[in-house]
Amino acid sequence: MTTTDAVSRAKALFKSKFGADAEVGGAAPGRVNLIGEHTDYCDGFVFPLALQFSTVVLGRKNPAHADTVVVCSEAQNQETAEFAISDGMKAGEPAWTNYVRGMVSIYRENGFDVPGFDAVVCTDVPIGGGVSSSAALEMSTGIFIEELCKKTVEKETRALWGQKCEHTFVGLMCGIMDQMISSKATLGHALLIDCRSLECEEVPLTDPGVSVVVCNSNVKHTLTGSEYPDRVRQCKAVASAIGVKALRDATMDSLNSVKDKLSDVEYRRGRHVITEDNRVLECKDALISKDYPNAGALMTASHASLRDDYEVSIPEIDFLVELANSFPGVFGSRITGGGFGGCTVTLVKTENANALMEKMSQDYYAKYAVNVSSFITTPGSGAHPVDIS
């Protein structure tokens, strides 16, 4: 699957739904995070790369309905939804439209005269797999709006508007990583992001002898809705106890100095974030120097921390990580994304990558009677307009 595939499907879907050809479009990738989980909302460091899979939004102005948006999503069984463009727009139903509603509202707040439009959404990004299909939809919608209005914004600005969309229309108080990599990615490079300054460092990942394998467990455990905000709150409590703005400013010495003031859970949450930030920076240096064994060891240590200290892994993911780490040619493996299911990311010698995916598929099905979805990825490009001529 490629962006070209999604574009072709989107063009056909638009024609069938609206009886005309789409005129403009935007595309944006999902992402996999090599290392640096649950550090972004602590002002820390993350190290993602864009996938070769993208979400595409195609459409055109609808002069007959200047204040109405009609949007159809292929992934939602071709459900079509309609909402009015107005000041003070709010979230609504169906829930998937809030990514579009939010971006329309935020662009309007920032001087874009967004007209009524018809649009379709097609994606090759696995939904609910921890590879940020939501940011891909936000950034592709942003590009679509810019093309529609013939006006652009800086990549960083677009990312920040996407984050605001998550906060205000989706209700998820996420960090900036997902939107930033989807907006700013450069082909062939991972991106080290400083989530406080928003400074980014491109790190080439072009060695043909090493591959990144993403494995979707296709399991998502039922959550109460409190897991993510609880961890955000716990991290803020630890930072407050230490007396720093965010855990990015803390050290293990400063954490240990207030250990008696913290619960065991708070202490472990803080330990994860502090050590994870260090692992991110060390992993970046290791990959630059092509020290793949060290980079892999850091990824595996990250998984152990996420499993034991941050408690966001699940048995199915642990099984895949352990299987990968015992396989020939694997440097390291870990859970990626917010947790409680989703995907693993594995750094492996290219010559062993296909055999690893086959082994994961066989052994995982034998244990859980669930099929995994695995693929080899190289760093893709960020959000961009779609040529639909």
Side-chain angles (χ1 to χ4, degrees), residues 66-69 83-91 101-102 104-114 169:
D67 60 353
T68 301
V69 169
F83 61 87
I85 297 175
S86 64
D87 294 335
M89 290 173 62
K90 304 292 185 184
R101 293 173 194 260
V104 169
S105 178
I106 293 163
Y107 270 82
R108 279 173 50 84
E109 290 170 4
N110 287 277
F112 279 69
D113 185 17
V114 183
F169 275 76

Side-chain angles (χ1 to χ4, degrees), residues 299-310:
M299 291 170 66
T300 299
S302 170
H303 180 77
S305 182
L306 288 159
R307 180 193 63 213
D308 300 335
D309 280 352
Y310 226 67

Side-chain angles (χ1 to χ4, degrees), residues 203-314:
V203 177
L205 289 180
T206 55
D207 187 338
V210 177
S211 291
V212 174
V213 169
V214 180
C215 181
N216 189 345
S217 68
N218 289 317
V219 170
K220 197 72 176 176
H221 280 203
T222 302
L223 306 179
T224 66
S226 68
E227 289 83 0
Y228 189 92
D230 279 353
R231 283 160 178 76
V232 174
R233 176 183 53 78
Q234 290 157 354
C235 288
K236 288 181 177 179
V238 177
S240 178
I242 295 172
V244 294
K245 180 181 178 182
L247 283 176
R248 181 251 183 76
D249 304 306
T251 64
M252 281 305 302
D253 285 344
S254 62
L255 177 66
N256 287 328
S257 72
V258 297
K259 186 175 183 180
D260 59 347
K261 300 177 182 178
L262 304 172
S263 68
D264 175 65
V265 168
E266 288 172 332
Y267 177 80
R268 288 187 289 113
R269 301 295 190 255
R271 181 168 60 188
H272 165 71
V273 174
I274 293 167
T275 58
E276 185 79 345
D277 270 335
N278 292 333
R279 284 188 288 268
V280 173
L281 298 177
E282 291 177 26
C283 189
K284 183 262 297 187
D285 290 339
L287 287 176
I288 288 174
S289 63
K290 298 188 177 181
D291 183 357
Y292 301 121
N294 188 32
L298 290 162
M299 291 170 66
T300 299
S302 170
H303 180 77
S305 182
L306 288 159
R307 180 193 63 213
D308 300 335
D309 280 352
Y310 226 67
E311 298 177 287
V312 294
S313 191
I314 59 173

Side-chain angles (χ1 to χ4, degrees), residues 10-139:
K11 289 169 71 173
L13 180 59
F14 189 88
K15 183 84 168 181
S16 70
K17 288 291 182 181
F18 299 104
D21 292 325
E23 296 176 356
V24 298
R31 65 96 187 98
V32 63
N33 192 22
L34 286 175
I35 193 168
E37 224 66 76
H38 292 280
T39 52
D40 55 352
Y41 52 79
C42 297
D43 283 0
F45 300 94
V46 293
F47 197 24
L49 59 88
L51 298 178
Q52 298 283 354
F53 301 130
S54 292
T55 294
V56 171
V57 179
L58 299 186
R60 67 173 190 167
K61 294 180 183 179
N62 186 341
H65 302 284
D67 60 353
T68 301
V69 169
V70 180
V71 60
C72 173
S73 171
E74 178 192 53
Q76 303 295 329
N77 296 314
Q78 298 189 8
E79 180 179 25
T80 299
E82 180 177 316
F83 61 87
I85 297 175
S86 64
D87 294 335
M89 290 173 62
K90 304 292 185 184
E93 294 293 336
W96 63 266
T97 64
N98 287 322
Y99 300 99
V100 181
R101 293 173 194 260
M103 295 304 284
V104 169
S105 178
I106 293 163
Y107 270 82
R108 279 173 50 84
E109 290 170 4
N110 287 277
F112 279 69
D113 185 17
V114 183
F117 61 82
D118 300 329
V120 296
V121 180
C122 291
T123 188
D124 291 329
V125 180
I127 295 173
V131 289
S132 203
S133 58
S134 58
L137 177 53
E138 290 154 3
M139 295 301 95

Side-chain angles (χ1 to χ4, degrees), residues 139-157:
M139 295 301 95
S140 56
T141 300
I143 292 283
F144 170 76
I145 291 170
E146 292 170 36
E147 290 293 291
L148 206 61
C149 296
K150 295 180 169 57
K151 182 178 177 181
T152 62
V153 298
E154 294 294 323
K155 296 175 182 179
E156 180 180 302
T157 300

